[in-house]
Amino acid sequence: MRDRHLARINFTALKNSEMVGLVLALHPRQATELYPDYAKGLHAWFLHQIQAYDPDLSRYLHDEQSEKAFTLSRLDGPLQSRGGKLYLSPDATYRWYLTLLSRPVLQGIVPWLQQLPRDLALAHHLLQIGDVQCFLPPRTYPQLFQVSPRRTINLSFLSPTSFRRQGNHFPLPVPSNLFHSYLRRWNEFSGYFVDATDFLAWVEAYVRIDRHWLESTVVPGGKRGNVTGFIGAITLSLSPQGGKNPEFRQLFYSLAHYAPYCGTGHKTPFGLGQTRCEWREPEQSCVAWVQSALQEQSLAERVEVLSAQLMQQKKRTGGERALKICQAQAQIMARRELGESLQAIAADLGLSYETARTYNKRGKKLLQGLS
């Protein structure tokens, strides 16, 4: 098993690099049932794995960064949906994508890669880890800054993608939002700081969207409610005037090629914002991620309905605290309807088991008045 893992990774190249994209082949040991927001379980498993090798690195990845130095995908493969749940077949292979964005993080994770466990544990199910490959080549930031400009840039967004804007979610690939997202990670990890103000003004003035296809979707966003995002693809180009600034022109193309490594928008360590520097037609897009997003949207819509009903039953309908409690109650009730354990929901929402049980009981009692 270990030899098969290592056969696909050039560790010499990794030692001289600052970023890489890895893909793990996973094989369910038995038929596996997942809840729509299973990406949180992948995130928790990964950080727990790193903690066993380097607790400081795990803590850094989880707590101490304004920008995260890694992204994790959902599972890519033949997911089936029944009754609001997702099912993995033991006869199928699923792919899980991981990207790393800084030299210290990449070097810190190499020991884990060299001793990968036999299985990935997800929701009490075991997925056997098979081949590991680089789907994005090992690179340094200076190498990325030397990519050759092209006439157009294609970007495809394979999982729901969204930006934070004035406290709300903004589900559109406006060029200034895209490149602000990429530049934040670039400034955090590259060692080559670029002032955002002038560059984003240049993007606003000279970057054009030549074509697009987009679809919106709503997915659960944890303790803070739902996230409205988009999937799809766009083609970008520069106006002739934009090419007259060679430094910004080069940065524009470099950041576009950085996008698959760093992801787009927020919550990229939880599977959102998976990006590729190519055009993918709707039928070419990752069917599993789209299917997962549809299941998450169904759960998110149920949470919204329950939250609104709970607020209506409150004697005081205003107030931030009342809204947060209703949202937590709605999350618990919707996920319990799908059969998820109260212990798992409480851990995910950062609540004690007793608090989650109380929220669930009170929520049900409030809604009895509607029946």
Side-chain angles (χ1 to χ4, degrees):
M1 174 67 67
R2 181 185 172 190
D3 290 341
R4 187 161 78 244
H5 288 329
L6 301 183
R8 298 299 184 94
I9 300 178
N10 183 339
F11 286 99
T12 300
L14 290 187
K15 290 180 180 179
N16 298 316
S17 301
E18 296 175 286
M19 68 188 80
V20 72
L22 302 170
V23 55
L24 284 69
L26 303 175
H27 311 281
R29 291 190 179 274
Q30 60 186 15
T32 299
E33 175 186 284
L34 297 177
Y35 296 98
D37 54 355
Y38 69 88
K40 297 173 185 176
L42 293 172
H43 177 270
W45 180 86
F46 173 69
L47 291 183
H48 180 75
Q49 287 288 306
I50 303 307
Q51 184 178 35
Y53 283 89
D54 190 336
D56 290 337
L57 177 59
S58 178
R59 185 165 50 252
Y60 170 73
L61 292 174
H62 186 269
D63 297 328
E64 299 179 10
Q65 297 170 277
S66 57
E67 300 293 338
K68 300 302 182 184
F70 70 102
T71 76
L72 301 174
S73 78
R74 289 170 167 79
L75 298 178
D76 175 11
L79 285 169
Q80 298 179 349
S81 61
R82 297 193 300 273
K85 299 178 184 178
L86 298 167
Y87 293 84
L88 310 183
S89 168
D91 300 322
T93 297
Y94 298 86
R95 291 170 296 279
W96 184 43
Y97 298 86
L98 160 69
T99 69
L100 307 169
L101 307 179
S102 76
R103 187 185 299 275
V105 171
L106 178 52
Q107 301 312 313
I109 285 178
V110 164
W112 173 69
L113 289 173
Q114 293 174 323
Q115 299 289 337
L116 278 173
R118 296 181 64 88
D119 296 292
L120 184 157
L122 181 61
H124 308 295
H125 298 285
L126 297 179
L127 309 180
Q128 184 180 19
I129 300 175
D131 289 344
V132 183
Q133 303 181 47
C134 293
F135 81 98
L136 296 172
R139 277 178 161 174
T140 64
Y141 283 90
Q143 287 172 343
L144 200 63
F145 197 68
Q146 296 172 3
V147 297
S148 299
R150 301 176 182 176
R151 189 177 65 84
T152 61
I153 286 290
N154 294 317
L155 294 173
S156 292
F157 309 98
L158 305 184
S159 64
T161 303
S162 185
F163 307 96
R164 293 188 183 95
R165 183 174 179 178
Q166 297 181 347
N168 299 308
H169 302 294
F170 186 74
L172 289 172
V174 174
S176 58
N177 289 90
L178 293 174
F179 284 88
H180 188 204
S181 171
Y182 308 146
L183 185 61
R184 290 200 315 270
R185 277 88 162 184
W186 178 276
N187 282 341
E188 183 79 17
F189 304 118
S190 72
Y192 301 93
F193 183 83
V194 176
D195 184 82
T197 303
D198 290 342
F199 176 68
L200 294 177
W202 177 87
V203 169
E204 187 75 27
Y206 301 120
V207 175
R208 307 178 300 197
I209 298 179
D210 292 339
R211 65 169 176 157
H212 68 85
W213 74 266
L214 299 170
E215 295 182 10
S216 62
T217 183
V218 180
V219 293
K223 291 178 283 186
R224 298 187 179 182
N226 300 325
V227 175
T228 301
F230 63 89
I231 56 175
I234 60 173
T235 297
L236 301 174
S237 67
L238 286 179
S239 68
Q241 295 86 348
K244 295 179 180 179
N245 186 325
E247 181 180 357
F248 284 172
R249 177 174 176 263
Q250 181 62 55
L251 182 61
F252 165 71
Y253 289 106
S254 297
L255 290 178
H257 284 82
Y258 186 46
Y261 291 93
C262 69
T264 302
H266 65 122
K267 293 186 177 292
T268 54
F270 294 92
L272 300 191
Q274 286 283 304
T275 307
R276 300 292 182 265
C277 195
E278 61 186 355
W279 180 275
R280 291 197 181 183
E281 297 291 338
E283 62 271 13
Q284 296 175 307
S285 293
C286 179
V287 175
W289 287 338
V290 173
Q291 184 76 317
S292 178
L294 291 175
Q295 291 298 322
E296 286 194 277
Q297 179 167 349
S298 177
L299 173 60
E301 290 171 349
R302 179 59 176 158
V303 170
E304 285 188 349
V305 169
L306 289 173
S307 182
Q309 291 175 342
L310 289 166
M311 285 296 291
Q312 289 177 359
Q313 295 300 103
K314 291 277 189 179
K315 293 181 179 179
R316 294 177 57 192
T317 59
E320 184 70 19
R321 185 173 182 273
L323 177 60
K324 288 183 177 180
I325 291 175
C326 286
Q327 288 176 338
Q329 289 175 317
Q331 280 270 353
I332 294 167
M333 295 172 67
R335 290 164 68 171
R336 287 292 292 140
E337 289 175 356
L338 293 176
E340 192 171 355
S341 72
L342 197 56
Q343 292 91 336
I345 299 170
D348 182 42
L349 297 181
L351 302 172
S352 69
Y353 173 79
E354 290 301 324
T355 299
R357 186 174 69 172
T358 300
Y359 277 8
N360 189 45
K361 291 174 64 175
R362 289 179 178 175
K364 289 181 178 179
K365 186 175 181 179
L366 280 172
L367 294 189
Q368 286 178 353
L370 296 177
S371 59

mmCIF file of all heavy atoms in Angstrom, residues 101-140:
data_model
loop_
_atom_site.group_PDB
_atom_site.id
_atom_site.type_symbol
_atom_site.label_atom_id
_atom_site.label_comp_id
_atom_site.label_asym_id
_atom_site.label_seq_id
_atom_site.Cartn_x
_atom_site.Cartn_y
_atom_site.Cartn_z
ATOM 1 N N LEU A 101 -0.456 25.761 -0.310
ATOM 2 C CA LEU A 101 -0.135 27.060 -0.902
ATOM 3 C C LEU A 101 1.117 27.725 -0.349
ATOM 4 O O LEU A 101 1.444 28.835 -0.791
ATOM 5 C CB LEU A 101 -1.305 28.033 -0.684
ATOM 6 C CG LEU A 101 -2.687 27.577 -1.115
ATOM 7 C CD1 LEU A 101 -3.713 28.652 -0.801
ATOM 8 C CD2 LEU A 101 -2.693 27.237 -2.586
ATOM 9 N N SER A 102 1.828 27.113 0.582
ATOM 10 C CA SER A 102 3.015 27.767 1.120
ATOM 11 C C SER A 102 4.093 26.720 1.391
ATOM 12 O O SER A 102 3.791 25.557 1.678
ATOM 13 C CB SER A 102 2.699 28.536 2.403
ATOM 14 O OG SER A 102 2.545 27.665 3.494
ATOM 15 N N ARG A 103 5.357 27.162 1.316
ATOM 16 C CA ARG A 103 6.465 26.235 1.533
ATOM 17 C C ARG A 103 6.439 25.601 2.921
ATOM 18 O O ARG A 103 6.596 24.376 3.041
ATOM 19 C CB ARG A 103 7.792 26.946 1.287
ATOM 20 C CG ARG A 103 9.001 25.998 1.319
ATOM 21 C CD ARG A 103 10.314 26.754 1.180
ATOM 22 N NE ARG A 103 10.403 27.467 -0.072
ATOM 23 C CZ ARG A 103 10.817 26.924 -1.221
ATOM 24 N NH1 ARG A 103 11.159 25.644 -1.244
ATOM 25 N NH2 ARG A 103 10.884 27.642 -2.316
ATOM 26 N N PRO A 104 6.256 26.375 4.017
ATOM 27 C CA PRO A 104 6.240 25.731 5.333
ATOM 28 C C PRO A 104 5.148 24.672 5.477
ATOM 29 O O PRO A 104 5.380 23.614 6.059
ATOM 30 C CB PRO A 104 6.006 26.905 6.297
ATOM 31 C CG PRO A 104 6.500 28.099 5.567
ATOM 32 C CD PRO A 104 6.169 27.856 4.127
ATOM 33 N N VAL A 105 3.963 24.966 4.933
ATOM 34 C CA VAL A 105 2.879 23.989 5.029
ATOM 35 C C VAL A 105 3.170 22.774 4.167
ATOM 36 O O VAL A 105 2.981 21.627 4.599
ATOM 37 C CB VAL A 105 1.540 24.644 4.631
ATOM 38 C CG1 VAL A 105 0.441 23.595 4.516
ATOM 39 C CG2 VAL A 105 1.145 25.702 5.657
ATOM 40 N N LEU A 106 3.658 22.991 2.966
ATOM 41 C CA LEU A 106 3.981 21.872 2.075
ATOM 42 C C LEU A 106 5.049 20.981 2.707
ATOM 43 O O LEU A 106 4.911 19.749 2.734
ATOM 44 C CB LEU A 106 4.449 22.413 0.727
ATOM 45 C CG LEU A 106 4.879 21.382 -0.326
ATOM 46 C CD1 LEU A 106 3.823 20.324 -0.546
ATOM 47 C CD2 LEU A 106 5.192 22.099 -1.645
ATOM 48 N N GLN A 107 6.121 21.587 3.237
ATOM 49 C CA GLN A 107 7.183 20.791 3.849
ATOM 50 C C GLN A 107 6.694 20.100 5.118
ATOM 51 O O GLN A 107 7.108 18.982 5.428
ATOM 52 C CB GLN A 107 8.385 21.684 4.164
ATOM 53 C CG GLN A 107 8.986 22.385 2.951
ATOM 54 C CD GLN A 107 9.226 21.440 1.784
ATOM 55 O OE1 GLN A 107 9.772 20.352 1.955
ATOM 56 N NE2 GLN A 107 8.800 21.836 0.593
ATOM 57 N N GLY A 108 5.790 20.761 5.850
ATOM 58 C CA GLY A 108 5.269 20.154 7.064
ATOM 59 C C GLY A 108 4.380 18.957 6.814
ATOM 60 O O GLY A 108 4.263 18.069 7.662
ATOM 61 N N ILE A 109 3.745 18.909 5.640
ATOM 62 C CA ILE A 109 2.815 17.820 5.341
ATOM 63 C C ILE A 109 3.506 16.644 4.648
ATOM 64 O O ILE A 109 2.974 15.531 4.615
ATOM 65 C CB ILE A 109 1.644 18.383 4.500
ATOM 66 C CG1 ILE A 109 0.722 19.189 5.417
ATOM 67 C CG2 ILE A 109 0.852 17.300 3.783
ATOM 68 C CD1 ILE A 109 -0.442 19.845 4.735
ATOM 69 N N VAL A 110 4.709 16.850 4.152
ATOM 70 C CA VAL A 110 5.430 15.761 3.476
ATOM 71 C C VAL A 110 5.557 14.520 4.351
ATOM 72 O O VAL A 110 5.320 13.396 3.866
ATOM 73 C CB VAL A 110 6.810 16.246 2.984
ATOM 74 C CG1 VAL A 110 7.724 15.060 2.653
ATOM 75 C CG2 VAL A 110 6.647 17.126 1.749
ATOM 76 N N PRO A 111 5.915 14.619 5.649
ATOM 77 C CA PRO A 111 5.988 13.390 6.462
ATOM 78 C C PRO A 111 4.684 12.621 6.510
ATOM 79 O O PRO A 111 4.686 11.377 6.538
ATOM 80 C CB PRO A 111 6.391 13.919 7.853
ATOM 81 C CG PRO A 111 7.085 15.204 7.587
ATOM 82 C CD PRO A 111 6.367 15.799 6.400
ATOM 83 N N TRP A 112 3.566 13.340 6.532
ATOM 84 C CA TRP A 112 2.272 12.655 6.508
ATOM 85 C C TRP A 112 2.056 11.939 5.179
ATOM 86 O O TRP A 112 1.592 10.796 5.151
ATOM 87 C CB TRP A 112 1.159 13.668 6.760
ATOM 88 C CG TRP A 112 -0.230 13.118 6.591
ATOM 89 C CD1 TRP A 112 -0.857 12.209 7.383
ATOM 90 C CD2 TRP A 112 -1.159 13.441 5.540
ATOM 91 N NE1 TRP A 112 -2.127 11.949 6.915
ATOM 92 C CE2 TRP A 112 -2.329 12.696 5.778
ATOM 93 C CE3 TRP A 112 -1.115 14.293 4.448
ATOM 94 C CZ2 TRP A 112 -3.442 12.767 4.941
ATOM 95 C CZ3 TRP A 112 -2.221 14.375 3.620
ATOM 96 C CH2 TRP A 112 -3.371 13.622 3.867
ATOM 97 N N LEU A 113 2.405 12.603 4.082
ATOM 98 C CA LEU A 113 2.260 11.974 2.770
ATOM 99 C C LEU A 113 3.107 10.710 2.657
ATOM 100 O O LEU A 113 2.705 9.735 2.016
ATOM 101 C CB LEU A 113 2.664 12.956 1.668
ATOM 102 C CG LEU A 113 1.731 14.138 1.404
ATOM 103 C CD1 LEU A 113 2.370 15.102 0.412
ATOM 104 C CD2 LEU A 113 0.379 13.667 0.890
ATOM 105 N N GLN A 114 4.263 10.715 3.283
ATOM 106 C CA GLN A 114 5.155 9.560 3.208
ATOM 107 C C GLN A 114 4.678 8.391 4.057
ATOM 108 O O GLN A 114 5.149 7.271 3.890
ATOM 109 C CB GLN A 114 6.564 9.975 3.630
ATOM 110 C CG GLN A 114 7.223 10.941 2.645
ATOM 111 C CD GLN A 114 8.551 11.464 3.135
ATOM 112 O OE1 GLN A 114 8.725 11.717 4.334
ATOM 113 N NE2 GLN A 114 9.498 11.640 2.230
ATOM 114 N N GLN A 115 3.732 8.651 4.972
ATOM 115 C CA GLN A 115 3.198 7.590 5.835
ATOM 116 C C GLN A 115 1.671 7.623 5.849
ATOM 117 O O GLN A 115 1.047 7.525 6.900
ATOM 118 C CB GLN A 115 3.748 7.761 7.256
ATOM 119 C CG GLN A 115 5.245 7.665 7.380
ATOM 120 C CD GLN A 115 5.744 6.246 7.183
ATOM 121 O OE1 GLN A 115 4.995 5.283 7.364
ATOM 122 N NE2 GLN A 115 7.008 6.098 6.826
ATOM 123 N N LEU A 116 1.071 7.770 4.675
ATOM 124 C CA LEU A 116 -0.388 7.849 4.610
ATOM 125 C C LEU A 116 -1.036 6.625 5.239
ATOM 126 O O LEU A 116 -0.557 5.497 5.068
ATOM 127 C CB LEU A 116 -0.843 7.966 3.155
ATOM 128 C CG LEU A 116 -0.798 9.350 2.509
ATOM 129 C CD1 LEU A 116 -1.128 9.244 1.028
ATOM 130 C CD2 LEU A 116 -1.758 10.304 3.191
ATOM 131 N N PRO A 117 -2.147 6.824 5.959
ATOM 132 C CA PRO A 117 -2.849 5.668 6.512
ATOM 133 C C PRO A 117 -3.504 4.848 5.406
ATOM 134 O O PRO A 117 -3.632 5.297 4.266
ATOM 135 C CB PRO A 117 -3.895 6.314 7.426
ATOM 136 C CG PRO A 117 -4.147 7.646 6.810
ATOM 137 C CD PRO A 117 -2.823 8.098 6.262
ATOM 138 N N ARG A 118 -3.933 3.678 5.758
ATOM 139 C CA ARG A 118 -4.582 2.808 4.771
ATOM 140 C C ARG A 118 -5.967 3.321 4.411
ATOM 141 O O ARG A 118 -6.438 3.108 3.285
ATOM 142 C CB ARG A 118 -4.686 1.377 5.311
ATOM 143 C CG ARG A 118 -3.352 0.702 5.564
ATOM 144 C CD ARG A 118 -3.534 -0.717 6.067
ATOM 145 N NE ARG A 118 -4.182 -1.544 5.062
ATOM 146 C CZ ARG A 118 -3.515 -2.210 4.119
ATOM 147 N NH1 ARG A 118 -2.200 -2.091 4.029
ATOM 148 N NH2 ARG A 118 -4.156 -2.967 3.264
ATOM 149 N N ASP A 119 -6.627 4.003 5.353
ATOM 150 C CA ASP A 119 -8.021 4.401 5.136
ATOM 151 C C ASP A 119 -8.250 5.845 5.556
ATOM 152 O O ASP A 119 -7.587 6.374 6.447
ATOM 153 C CB ASP A 119 -8.968 3.507 5.947
ATOM 154 C CG ASP A 119 -8.933 2.066 5.498
ATOM 155 O OD1 ASP A 119 -9.390 1.782 4.375
ATOM 156 O OD2 ASP A 119 -8.423 1.232 6.274
ATOM 157 N N LEU A 120 -9.225 6.456 4.906
ATOM 158 C CA LEU A 120 -9.788 7.732 5.323
ATOM 159 C C LEU A 120 -11.098 7.426 6.017
ATOM 160 O O LEU A 120 -11.981 6.779 5.435
ATOM 161 C CB LEU A 120 -10.001 8.641 4.112
ATOM 162 C CG LEU A 120 -10.498 10.065 4.343
ATOM 163 C CD1 LEU A 120 -10.103 10.953 3.156
ATOM 164 C CD2 LEU A 120 -12.023 10.135 4.514
ATOM 165 N N ALA A 121 -11.261 7.874 7.254
ATOM 166 C CA ALA A 121 -12.478 7.617 8.021
ATOM 167 C C ALA A 121 -13.426 8.798 7.861
ATOM 168 O O ALA A 121 -13.075 9.929 8.189
ATOM 169 C CB ALA A 121 -12.136 7.400 9.492
ATOM 170 N N LEU A 122 -14.623 8.522 7.350
ATOM 171 C CA LEU A 122 -15.610 9.563 7.093
ATOM 172 C C LEU A 122 -16.973 9.077 7.552
ATOM 173 O O LEU A 122 -17.514 8.101 7.016
ATOM 174 C CB LEU A 122 -15.644 9.905 5.598
ATOM 175 C CG LEU A 122 -16.619 10.996 5.154
ATOM 176 C CD1 LEU A 122 -16.285 12.326 5.823
ATOM 177 C CD2 LEU A 122 -16.595 11.153 3.634
ATOM 178 N N ALA A 123 -17.527 9.768 8.553
ATOM 179 C CA ALA A 123 -18.857 9.427 9.081
ATOM 180 C C ALA A 123 -18.938 7.949 9.460
ATOM 181 O O ALA A 123 -19.882 7.242 9.111
ATOM 182 C CB ALA A 123 -19.940 9.770 8.066
ATOM 183 N N HIS A 124 -17.896 7.467 10.158
ATOM 184 C CA HIS A 124 -17.831 6.089 10.646
ATOM 185 C C HIS A 124 -17.685 5.065 9.519
ATOM 186 O O HIS A 124 -17.847 3.861 9.758
ATOM 187 C CB HIS A 124 -19.057 5.750 11.501
ATOM 188 C CG HIS A 124 -19.314 6.726 12.605
ATOM 189 N ND1 HIS A 124 -18.455 6.906 13.667
ATOM 190 C CD2 HIS A 124 -20.328 7.616 12.798
ATOM 191 C CE1 HIS A 124 -18.919 7.839 14.466
ATOM 192 N NE2 HIS A 124 -20.052 8.297 13.968
ATOM 193 N N HIS A 125 -17.409 5.523 8.320
ATOM 194 C CA HIS A 125 -17.153 4.624 7.203
ATOM 195 C C HIS A 125 -15.689 4.742 6.797
ATOM 196 O O HIS A 125 -15.070 5.802 6.960
ATOM 197 C CB HIS A 125 -18.039 4.964 6.003
ATOM 198 C CG HIS A 125 -19.506 4.811 6.282
ATOM 199 N ND1 HIS A 125 -20.131 3.580 6.370
ATOM 200 C CD2 HIS A 125 -20.477 5.740 6.492
ATOM 201 C CE1 HIS A 125 -21.417 3.761 6.619
ATOM 202 N NE2 HIS A 125 -21.660 5.057 6.696
ATOM 203 N N LEU A 126 -15.138 3.673 6.231
ATOM 204 C CA LEU A 126 -13.743 3.646 5.814
ATOM 205 C C LEU A 126 -13.647 3.682 4.298
ATOM 206 O O LEU A 126 -14.285 2.873 3.605
ATOM 207 C CB LEU A 126 -13.038 2.401 6.359
ATOM 208 C CG LEU A 126 -12.935 2.297 7.883
ATOM 209 C CD1 LEU A 126 -12.232 1.005 8.281
ATOM 210 C CD2 LEU A 126 -12.210 3.497 8.471
ATOM 211 N N LEU A 127 -12.845 4.620 3.792
ATOM 212 C CA LEU A 127 -12.536 4.702 2.370
ATOM 213 C C LEU A 127 -11.064 4.385 2.208
ATOM 214 O O LEU A 127 -10.190 5.108 2.712
ATOM 215 C CB LEU A 127 -12.844 6.106 1.834
ATOM 216 C CG LEU A 127 -14.235 6.682 2.131
ATOM 217 C CD1 LEU A 127 -14.365 8.075 1.520
ATOM 218 C CD2 LEU A 127 -15.328 5.769 1.620
ATOM 219 N N GLN A 128 -10.772 3.290 1.521
ATOM 220 C CA GLN A 128 -9.381 2.879 1.337
ATOM 221 C C GLN A 128 -8.649 3.882 0.447
ATOM 222 O O GLN A 128 -9.147 4.280 -0.606
ATOM 223 C CB GLN A 128 -9.314 1.490 0.714
ATOM 224 C CG GLN A 128 -7.907 0.948 0.579
ATOM 225 C CD GLN A 128 -7.891 -0.438 -0.058
ATOM 226 O OE1 GLN A 128 -8.873 -0.829 -0.712
ATOM 227 N NE2 GLN A 128 -6.819 -1.169 0.125
ATOM 228 N N ILE A 129 -7.461 4.298 0.865
ATOM 229 C CA ILE A 129 -6.654 5.246 0.095
ATOM 230 C C ILE A 129 -5.795 4.470 -0.897
ATOM 231 O O ILE A 129 -5.009 3.606 -0.517
ATOM 232 C CB ILE A 129 -5.769 6.101 1.024
ATOM 233 C CG1 ILE A 129 -6.640 6.890 1.995
ATOM 234 C CG2 ILE A 129 -4.893 7.039 0.207
ATOM 235 C CD1 ILE A 129 -5.848 7.671 3.036
ATOM 236 N N GLY A 130 -5.970 4.786 -2.189
ATOM 237 C CA GLY A 130 -5.191 4.135 -3.234
ATOM 238 C C GLY A 130 -4.095 5.042 -3.755
ATOM 239 O O GLY A 130 -3.306 5.597 -2.985
ATOM 240 N N ASP A 131 -4.055 5.235 -5.053
ATOM 241 C CA ASP A 131 -3.019 6.056 -5.671
ATOM 242 C C ASP A 131 -3.123 7.516 -5.242
ATOM 243 O O ASP A 131 -4.205 8.038 -4.993
ATOM 244 C CB ASP A 131 -3.126 5.998 -7.201
ATOM 245 C CG ASP A 131 -2.712 4.640 -7.752
ATOM 246 O OD1 ASP A 131 -2.073 3.887 -7.012
ATOM 247 O OD2 ASP A 131 -3.038 4.364 -8.914
ATOM 248 N N VAL A 132 -1.976 8.172 -5.193
ATOM 249 C CA VAL A 132 -1.890 9.609 -4.952
ATOM 250 C C VAL A 132 -1.098 10.226 -6.094
ATOM 251 O O VAL A 132 0.004 9.767 -6.400
ATOM 252 C CB VAL A 132 -1.221 9.928 -3.606
ATOM 253 C CG1 VAL A 132 -1.208 11.435 -3.361
ATOM 254 C CG2 VAL A 132 -1.924 9.207 -2.471
ATOM 255 N N GLN A 133 -1.658 11.240 -6.729
ATOM 256 C CA GLN A 133 -1.007 11.885 -7.862
ATOM 257 C C GLN A 133 -1.001 13.397 -7.682
ATOM 258 O O GLN A 133 -1.762 13.936 -6.877
ATOM 259 C CB GLN A 133 -1.731 11.549 -9.172
ATOM 260 C CG GLN A 133 -1.844 10.078 -9.478
ATOM 261 C CD GLN A 133 -2.554 9.835 -10.787
ATOM 262 O OE1 GLN A 133 -2.264 10.465 -11.798
ATOM 263 N NE2 GLN A 133 -3.515 8.931 -10.762
ATOM 264 N N CYS A 134 -0.164 14.079 -8.445
ATOM 265 C CA CYS A 134 -0.190 15.536 -8.521
ATOM 266 C C CYS A 134 -1.087 15.934 -9.690
ATOM 267 O O CYS A 134 -0.729 15.695 -10.846
ATOM 268 C CB CYS A 134 1.214 16.099 -8.719
ATOM 269 S SG CYS A 134 2.310 15.869 -7.317
ATOM 270 N N PHE A 135 -2.244 16.520 -9.403
ATOM 271 C CA PHE A 135 -3.089 16.993 -10.498
ATOM 272 C C PHE A 135 -2.734 18.428 -10.871
ATOM 273 O O PHE A 135 -3.086 18.897 -11.957
ATOM 274 C CB PHE A 135 -4.574 16.856 -10.150
ATOM 275 C CG PHE A 135 -5.135 17.938 -9.288
ATOM 276 C CD1 PHE A 135 -5.842 19.000 -9.825
ATOM 277 C CD2 PHE A 135 -4.970 17.899 -7.901
ATOM 278 C CE1 PHE A 135 -6.364 19.998 -9.027
ATOM 279 C CE2 PHE A 135 -5.495 18.893 -7.096
ATOM 280 C CZ PHE A 135 -6.191 19.943 -7.659
ATOM 281 N N LEU A 136 -2.036 19.132 -9.978
ATOM 282 C CA LEU A 136 -1.434 20.426 -10.275
ATOM 283 C C LEU A 136 0.050 20.305 -9.963
ATOM 284 O O LEU A 136 0.415 19.847 -8.876
ATOM 285 C CB LEU A 136 -2.047 21.544 -9.420
ATOM 286 C CG LEU A 136 -3.524 21.850 -9.639
ATOM 287 C CD1 LEU A 136 -4.019 22.845 -8.582
ATOM 288 C CD2 LEU A 136 -3.770 22.411 -11.041
ATOM 289 N N PRO A 137 0.932 20.679 -10.872
ATOM 290 C CA PRO A 137 2.361 20.415 -10.675
ATOM 291 C C PRO A 137 2.947 21.223 -9.538
ATOM 292 O O PRO A 137 2.479 22.340 -9.240
ATOM 293 C CB PRO A 137 2.972 20.842 -12.017
ATOM 294 C CG PRO A 137 2.010 21.842 -12.580
ATOM 295 C CD PRO A 137 0.647 21.368 -12.154
ATOM 296 N N PRO A 138 3.977 20.718 -8.863
ATOM 297 C CA PRO A 138 4.687 21.511 -7.854
ATOM 298 C C PRO A 138 5.284 22.762 -8.503
ATOM 299 O O PRO A 138 5.906 22.687 -9.563
ATOM 300 C CB PRO A 138 5.788 20.562 -7.360
ATOM 301 C CG PRO A 138 5.336 19.191 -7.746
ATOM 302 C CD PRO A 138 4.540 19.362 -9.002
ATOM 303 N N ARG A 139 5.089 23.906 -7.849
ATOM 304 C CA ARG A 139 5.576 25.165 -8.395
ATOM 305 C C ARG A 139 6.025 26.081 -7.273
ATOM 306 O O ARG A 139 5.626 25.915 -6.123
ATOM 307 C CB ARG A 139 4.475 25.888 -9.200
ATOM 308 C CG ARG A 139 4.321 25.419 -10.630
ATOM 309 C CD ARG A 139 3.193 26.159 -11.306
ATOM 310 N NE ARG A 139 3.286 26.090 -12.759
ATOM 311 C CZ ARG A 139 2.368 26.558 -13.587
ATOM 312 N NH1 ARG A 139 1.284 27.136 -13.110
ATOM 313 N NH2 ARG A 139 2.525 26.473 -14.890
ATOM 314 N N THR A 140 6.836 27.075 -7.650
ATOM 315 C CA THR A 140 7.162 28.167 -6.752
ATOM 316 C C THR A 140 6.420 29.412 -7.223
ATOM 317 O O THR A 140 5.944 29.483 -8.361
ATOM 318 C CB THR A 140 8.664 28.455 -6.744
ATOM 319 O OG1 THR A 140 9.064 28.913 -8.048
ATOM 320 C CG2 THR A 140 9.462 27.208 -6.368
#
